[in-house]
Amino acid sequence: TPTARRARCGRRTADGGRRSRCRERSLNEGYARNPAGLRLYYRVLGEGDPTLVTAGACFLREDLEPLASGRRLVFFDRSGRGRSDPIPPDMPVTFESEFEDIDAIRAHLGLQHFTLMGWSYVGLVAGLYAADHPDVVDRLLLSGAIAPRNVALSELPRDAHVQPGRD
């Protein structure tokens, strides 16, 4: 609610304006570049063992800010989301490109080890990334993650088959 947000993130100053505790706790924000050259927006809150939130800098920061007590939270917007650069129409989005976004943030901020958090589709990405990068992911926090599944082309509905050269 708006009242809860004001109570959580700001208080009135002597001149009637608002001073945001959220902004005061922000260590830094900026952009990293992924291998495709796209800028990825990030924001860091708190101090301590790094936690990398794989998505949601554009909308989750205020909700998860209490987790910054005693640890460092790194929020970032994946390619094509929030404040990050849009994905060109001819560039495919793959798990590899999702991993490259995580790696770009990790390298830019110098994170050797971190806790990875994800939910829904991003939970699937986080789980696959952790399985592929066990040397850098210390912990994995998933909420409502989509489970990975191999699906044979023959299992897809008939109208889902893509035939080259046909619209």
Side-chain angles (χ1 to χ4, degrees), residues 26-82:
S26 179
L27 294 177
N28 63 49
E29 64 182 328
Y31 291 90
R33 288 206 181 265
N34 69 9
L38 301 178
R39 292 178 322 140
L40 304 171
Y41 172 77
Y42 69 87
R43 174 171 274 173
V44 180
L45 295 174
E47 296 179 7
D49 292 334
T51 296
L52 178 63
V53 178
T54 60
C58 59
F59 65 91
L60 280 178
R61 185 184 57 83
E62 286 185 7
D63 292 328
L64 296 179
E65 183 180 5
L67 296 177
S69 178
R71 68 181 57 87
R72 183 166 62 156
L73 295 181
V74 178
F75 297 94
F76 80 95
D77 290 330
R78 296 172 14 242
S79 296
R81 310 295 194 291

Side-chain angles (χ1 to χ4, degrees), residues 24-25 35 43-44 47 57 67 69 98 125 130 139 143 147 166:
E24 290 170 9
R25 292 182 64 186
R43 174 171 274 173
V44 180
E47 296 179 7
L67 296 177
S69 178
E98 299 277 13
V125 172
R139 294 181 182 98
S143 176
R166 299 204 180 197

Side-chain angles (χ1 to χ4, degrees), residues 90-112:
D90 62 337
M91 181 183 290
V93 176
T94 63
F95 287 119
E96 187 60 34
S97 66
E98 299 277 13
F99 293 176
E100 288 172 350
D101 283 357
I102 297 169
D103 284 335
I105 295 293
R106 182 171 68 88
H108 182 80
L109 297 175
L111 303 175
Q112 299 300 315

